Amino acid sequence: DTTLMDLIQAGLVQPPFEVERDYKGIHLTAVIRQDGRIDWGGQVFDSLSTAGGMARKSVIGSPDDRPCPPTNGWQFWRYRDADSGDLCKIDSIRRRYVATRR
């Protein structure tokens, strides 16, 4: 499985790399660190999905049986494309990386 460290080592993500998301009217931002971990809300997480889940929890709370809502971080977080200025899913960088490995 592709990791953030794979994308960092390939030069596709250059930390500190800001990711963001407007979620239910709240603007959320996180930063991908050089070590491949994610800073969000004053905490450091090992995955985009955990950081995304905790970010969503800050807005909507969490299910009774989980510490945070299940979240696919690759789909949840967006980055601003340097060329177009558009917000794009971080998953688009992962897909580009995987395509070059085939």
Side-chain angles (χ1 to χ4, degrees):
D1 234 13
T2 304
T3 67
L4 278 175
M5 280 309 296
D6 294 329
L7 303 183
I8 292 167
Q9 289 168 350
L12 298 171
V13 169
Q14 297 176 349
F17 188 83
E18 186 172 285
V19 292
E20 59 187 283
R21 176 71 187 261
D22 285 322
Y23 183 69
K24 297 191 179 291
I26 306 294
H27 187 73
L28 304 165
T29 60
V31 176
I32 298 171
R33 300 167 18 142
Q34 189 66 46
D35 63 4
R37 296 167 68 202
I38 298 87
D39 275 329
W40 181 83
Q43 293 182 278
V44 179
F45 299 96
D46 289 332
S47 77
L48 285 167
S49 296
T50 304
M54 295 305 280
R56 288 181 62 215
K57 175 183 178 177
S58 76
V59 177
I60 63 170
S62 61
D64 291 338
D65 59 339
R66 295 176 159 251
C68 64
T71 305
N72 178 332
W74 295 104
Q75 296 291 326
F76 181 78
W77 292 110
R78 310 286 197 261
Y79 71 96
R80 190 149 315 269
D81 182 87
D83 297 325
S84 69
D86 293 338
L87 277 179
C88 306
K89 291 178 185 174
I90 191 86
D91 191 53
S92 65
I93 298 174
R94 180 175 69 162
R95 289 178 186 275
R96 200 170 353 149
Y97 174 83
V98 169
T100 66
R101 297 287 176 251
R102 291 195 174 136

